[in-house]
């Protein structure tokens, strides 16, 4: 017999069906036992009487067992109808029962929202934590959201291109993860902090409209809106555009996304406010203001743009560039952001006054994306390298970009919204880990599996590295 | 003025348009010069006379310069119509010309198929190599193909879930890349050879239908159908299914994919032949036979399944498991593949005779995917670990899987076709690198950027590792 999903039972009254899924709840009422069977479509009530409660193997089903039943779908008596669930008008009178896989008692409840459960325990048993309806919903929405984004962009002539994970550092202000090379011992790949250079190279290649739902890696401390180690961003880049084009496309994308994927959410203000950096700092003391009119409304989404950032800030010790050359300037976005055309003369006289063509996307107080118009002229790029104090050697690391700029390069720019962070902000989840399947803990330990872990001596030998003994 | 794409000119006869793009070709005919302007939509002919050939900056456009022109779209004289291109009936009489970005002479031609050009040079200037129409087409088809796959699966209730890149080894027969941890010095992450364990855990989590276009990493020698370092696979897994369900879904997916995305290709035989391993070896001497009827037909696609693989092979020195315990058996697929139910008694008596529920997808002589029904019973999984000779310590590495199997686990299985490899085989490209944007070279050097490269001493100090000086 073909499997029927829980949700499909309502269309099969009087018919015999085969159902497979988990025992969601069990309620014993003397000679009758009710089981709720849960599958990917929802739950349906099973009615078991007498010997039918014992499986062929002689076992009785308990919560979270995986079972297979056959039975007849019946209308429920009027008094028993449950209007809260889509299958609330029916029940299945079980004829045969098979226990496919027994479940031990779970380490924590999964019928609650789970916020109060120790996060390490949730992480260790993530495969059970995901059974929680809230977590299942979040993962489904994640998938729906990325699929919507892809179709939106592909319908507008964008091409999704995969760029390498084993690559070279692009300093973007965070620490790289590095991967020792076996074929070139003593050398290392870096995991990309973003596909910044590759997307610009794809513009030089003439694709004109690129995007990628791209994995990015930063070895920096986690926060509530930043998971440790890796995250996913919608990386998009366009040629022959102005900043206005990027802002409009992004606004249209996320406005239709909210309408289609999160229809119970509403956007506070359209078009989205655009606030120059100096103004937003003055008015709100932050460059990511929370512009909700009613902060207690969980369904209100207040998007805004922060624009007209200064191109440079003073260098701090944390900067990749710190102490190099004679420079005092650090890029406030990154070193490929174009200066405002009106301010180019200031590069020579007062760099801190130069505005950059950067745009940050803000949602309910979170920075959910950033981007810019990029430099596409070799001379300006070199000037920026000088101002941030690149040594000759540091410049040499980016020779390929300067070279690329000599072969006919279109003006281009883009934006990179964080996918998980956006979903977190839209759903009002308290942490980004609530929208990820297997997030790492703050100490960098992975979900379920115990990594990082020891490497085999043979692996290290092949890679030509050794571990430095640490002082206690 | 709003930009007009090359292809749109045919609908704008008599109108003034603004075009932006690259100079594809230049033909001088005395007082008249013809330029073909190329943008993402195709090419259109520009006609320049007299002073209009000189830009505002006093320069004349040459091949691969990025230009912006305004002009009037006109019908071409009948004798000048070029039926080979979609804009062959029109030309644009240029009024103004601006050179946005000058191009030096390119290091190689991009109007050829490029197969004869040194691959290192192509790789170094990949951003130019991609301008080659064949490469642009391949990248566009890659995007179209993955988008088709995603929509096909999402319409069938699949959920795309991202699984970690910084994770723990799942030995799948290849060498891991490892990433030193800064927060837990002396320990290492592994980059996933596939999301094998995560997808099985998502089945335990109750998602029932998961997929991911997933990046996988293997530190093994490249071949024509395998790029060095990383590749992409369509990773899909289903619960409550038989091998038949997986084969049918895959066949439907790729049959409709070919019809929609590669309409000029034709599938040699449907339904696809399913050949038991012993038979295919006997008949063809390989488990990936090339079943094309006419091997000179570049548009013929011969899909087939190889099934009924032996579950085990004898261990070789290359096996992860080699020498551990007293075992002589290596999994021929991987250690999570379920034995054929009829053969379970043979596990105790004659393991090499046990068939596994493995299926390999073959296209024109390439293995383009493999999968299996997985073990979902703790006792059988432990038995397999014993047979492949896991020590207590090795078993402990997979405790989380055995634990997961005690909480109610559905029968499940899947398949993982290689996305790039499939595209290579469908297009008949001679190497997988022809369908990737930025493939690494066989020595592991990345395209365009020079990686792997030196790490800063400070980075190594933070990670607690040092480089072992290599003997020359």
């Amino acid at each position: 017999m073909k499997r029927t999903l829980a949700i499909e039972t309502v269309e099969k009254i009087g018919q015999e069906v085969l159902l497979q899924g988990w025992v969601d709840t069990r309620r014993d009422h003397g000679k009758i036992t009710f089981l709720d069977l849960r599958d990917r479509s929802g739950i349906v009530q099973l009615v078991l009487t007498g010997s039918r409660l014992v499986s062929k193997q002689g076992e009785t089903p308990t919560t979270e067992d995986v079972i297979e039943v056959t039975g007849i779908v019946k209308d429920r008596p009027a008094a028993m109808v449950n209007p809260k669930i889509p299958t609330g008008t029916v029940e299945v009178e079980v004829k045969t029962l098979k226990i496919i896989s027994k479940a031990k008692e779970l380490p924590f409840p999964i019928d609650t929202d789970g916020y109060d459960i120790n996060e390490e325990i949730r992480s260790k048993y993530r495969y059970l934590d995901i059974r929680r309806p809230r977590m299942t919903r979040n993962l489904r929405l994640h998938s729906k959201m990325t699929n919507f984004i892809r179709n939106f962009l592909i319908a507008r002539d964008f091409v999704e291109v995969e760029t390498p994970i084993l690559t070279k550092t692009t300093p973007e202000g965070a620490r790289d993860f590095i991967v020792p090379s076996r074929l070139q011992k003593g050398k290392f790949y870096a995991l990309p902090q973003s596909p910044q250079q590759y997307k610009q190279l794809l513009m030089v290649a003439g694709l004109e409209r690129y995007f990628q739902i791209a994995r990015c890696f930063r070895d920096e401390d986690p926060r509530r809106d930043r998971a440790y180690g890796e995250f996913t961003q919608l990386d998009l880049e366009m040629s022959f555009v102005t900043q206005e084009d990027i802002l409009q496309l992004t606004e249209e994308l996320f406005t239709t996304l909210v309408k289609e994927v999160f229809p119970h959410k509403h956007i506070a203000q359209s078009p989205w406010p655009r606030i120059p950096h100096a103004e937003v700092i003055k008015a709100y003391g932050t460059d990511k203001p929370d512009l909700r009119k009613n902060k207690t409304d969980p369904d209100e989404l207040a998007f805004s743009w922060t624009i007209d950032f200064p191109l440079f800030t003073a260098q701090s010790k944390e900067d990749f560039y710190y102490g190099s050359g004679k420079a005092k300037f650090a890029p406030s976005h990154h070193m490929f952001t174009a200066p405002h055309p009106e301010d180019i003369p200031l590069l020579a006289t007062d760099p801190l006054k130069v505005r950059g063509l950067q745009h940050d996307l803000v949602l309910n107080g979170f920075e959910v994306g950033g981007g810019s118009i990029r430099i596409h002229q070799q001379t300006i790029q070199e000037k920026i390298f000088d101002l941030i104090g690149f040594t000759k050697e540091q410049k040499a690391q980016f020779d390929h970009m300067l070279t690329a700029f000599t072969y006919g390069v279109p003006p281009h720019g883009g934006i990179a919204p964080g996918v998980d962070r956006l979903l977190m902000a839209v759903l009002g989840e308290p942490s980004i880990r609530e929208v990820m399947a297997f997030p790492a803990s703050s100490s960098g330990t992975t979900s379920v599996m115990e990594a990082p872990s020891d490497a085999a001596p043979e692996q290290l030998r092949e890679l030509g590295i050794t571990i430095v003994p640490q002082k206690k």
Side-chain angles (χ1 to χ4, degrees), chain A:
Chain A
M1 210 187 313
K2 213 174 141 262
R3 179 186 185 201
T4 294
L5 291 177
I7 191 77
E8 296 167 342
T9 52
V10 292
E11 295 152 15
K12 297 197 173 179
I13 290 161
Q15 296 179 37
E16 184 171 357
V17 294
L18 180 143
L19 296 161
Q20 294 169 318
W22 285 259
V23 177
D24 196 64
T25 55
R26 177 191 165 118
R27 295 180 304 284
D28 290 298
H29 292 283
K31 286 182 181 164
I32 286 192
T33 293
F34 296 99
L35 298 181
D36 278 351
L37 177 135
R38 183 184 75 236
D39 64 22
R40 70 175 192 273
S41 74
I43 60 172
V44 64
Q45 179 167 289
L46 309 181
V47 186
L48 296 101
T49 50
S51 66
R52 297 209 169 82
L53 189 54
V54 180
S55 76
K56 291 173 192 166
Q57 308 103 309
E59 293 171 310
T60 62
T62 54
T63 315
E64 296 306 313
D65 286 354
V66 174
I67 60 170
E68 176 179 294
V69 299
T70 60
I72 309 290
V73 184
K74 305 218 158 160
D75 277 318
R76 287 198 207 181
M80 307 288 274
V81 164
N82 178 356
K84 286 185 195 152
I85 59 167
T87 62
T89 55
V90 300
E91 57 190 17
V92 178
E93 206 177 271
V94 170
K95 290 175 66 181
T96 68
L97 163 73
K98 189 172 144 192
I99 294 178
I100 295 178
S101 176
K102 281 297 293 175
K104 282 195 312 198
E105 197 185 338
L106 266 48
F108 45 65
I110 58 169
D111 57 353
T112 65
D113 64 23
Y115 293 123
D116 57 336
I117 302 169
N118 176 292
E119 215 181 323
E120 265 180 56
I121 304 289
R122 286 180 62 197
S123 173
K124 181 176 174 185
Y125 298 98
R126 193 62 163 185
Y127 48 88
L128 301 178
D129 195 54
I130 292 172
R131 290 187 190 171
R132 191 181 306 289
R134 179 176 60 88
M135 289 302 295
T136 304
R137 176 206 65 180
N138 288 2
L139 294 186
R140 287 187 176 274
L141 284 172
H142 195 291
S143 173
K144 222 172 154 181
M145 180 170 94
T146 51
N147 193 241
F148 179 90
I149 291 171
R150 284 189 163 100
N151 285 328
F152 179 96
L153 293 173
I154 283 176
R156 282 157 186 79
D157 227 6
F158 281 80
V159 183
E160 184 162 26
V161 180
E162 294 175 4
T163 58
I165 299 289
L166 294 169
T167 179
K168 184 172 183 148
T169 185
T170 298
E172 303 223 10
R175 202 183 279 104
D176 283 323
F177 286 99
I178 61 175
V179 181
S181 164
R182 175 180 59 89
L183 296 178
Q184 299 183 38
K185 284 192 183 49
K187 306 220 173 216
F188 296 82
Y189 299 98
L191 304 183
Q193 294 185 30
S194 89
Q196 182 62 37
Q197 293 184 66
Y198 288 114
K199 68 180 163 190
Q200 293 195 241
L201 292 170
L202 288 170
M203 295 303 102
V204 181
L207 282 196
E208 291 197 30
R209 296 187 157 207
Y210 143 91
F211 81 101
Q212 183 182 192
I213 309 263
R215 205 69 67 87
C216 304
F217 303 85
R218 299 186 185 188
D219 186 2
E220 57 188 357
D221 294 338
R223 296 184 311 220
R224 70 181 272 227
D225 64 349
R226 185 165 73 194
Y228 178 75
E230 53 189 295
F231 65 96
T232 299
Q233 73 185 24
L234 162 61
D235 199 54
L236 82 81
E237 195 81 3
M238 294 189 273
S239 290
F240 303 112
V241 293
T242 60
Q243 191 173 47
E244 180 65 31
D245 295 320
I246 299 168
L247 268 47
Q248 276 189 18
L249 179 96
T250 308
E251 199 158 327
E252 192 196 340
L253 167 59
F254 290 121
T255 301
T256 43
L257 173 77
V258 168
K259 210 173 283 174
E260 297 287 325
V261 182
F262 307 98
H264 52 294
K265 302 279 173 184
H266 58 94
I267 293 177
Q269 195 184 340
S270 288
W272 304 347
R274 298 179 185 183
I275 318 176
H277 183 261
E279 246 177 68
V280 78
I281 294 288
K282 206 171 151 193
Y284 303 96
T286 171
D287 56 7
K288 27 184 190 286
D290 186 345
L291 298 181
R292 282 177 293 176
K293 288 160 195 160
N294 174 3
K295 293 195 178 55
T296 62
D297 175 359
D299 292 330
E300 182 180 358
L301 303 176
F303 287 98
S304 66
W305 291 106
T306 303
I307 53 170
D308 286 346
F309 282 79
L311 188 63
F312 296 108
T313 59
Q315 276 191 5
S316 80
K317 265 200 174 174
E318 279 66 50
D319 282 310
F320 175 79
Y321 326 87
Y322 181 76
S324 53
K326 286 171 267 179
K328 304 180 202 67
F329 309 109
S332 47
H333 184 217
H334 60 51
M335 60 193 176
F336 303 112
T337 295
H340 197 296
E342 289 168 10
D343 297 350
I344 287 183
L346 290 171
L347 283 173
T349 56
D350 197 351
L352 286 175
K353 286 223 174 104
V354 176
R355 290 164 300 167
L357 292 178
Q358 178 188 348
H359 36 263
D360 271 12
L361 175 60
V362 179
L363 171 58
N364 293 3
F366 293 98
E367 182 204 320
V368 293
S372 65
I373 294 292
R374 326 298 181 184
I375 298 164
H376 71 281
Q377 309 96 323
Q378 191 191 12
T379 49
I380 295 186
Q381 189 65 67
E382 279 185 328
K383 178 79 189 156
I384 301 295
F385 284 173
D386 283 337
L387 282 165
I388 58 183
F390 265 13
T391 59
K392 216 171 148 184
E393 292 71 32
Q394 285 175 315
K395 266 190 209 169
Q397 302 267 321
F398 297 94
D399 263 356
H400 54 272
M401 292 297 282
L402 298 177
T403 304
F405 286 174
T406 63
Y407 289 110
V409 49
H412 59 282
I415 189 166
V419 169
D420 308 305
R421 193 182 287 180
L422 187 82
L423 183 57
M424 176 201 79
V426 168
L427 295 177
E429 284 287 5
S431 148
I432 199 165
R433 291 187 290 276
E434 302 294 339
V435 300
M436 299 171 74
F438 298 103
S441 75
S442 54
S443 64
T445 301
T446 53
S447 293
V448 188
M449 305 180 201
E450 266 187 44
S453 57
D454 292 330
E458 174 57 22
Q459 277 181 303
L460 300 181
R461 206 174 309 128
E462 276 196 322
L463 296 169
I465 59 171
T466 56
I467 296 166
V468 180
Q470 299 294 314
K471 283 172 203 150
K472 295 279 164 168

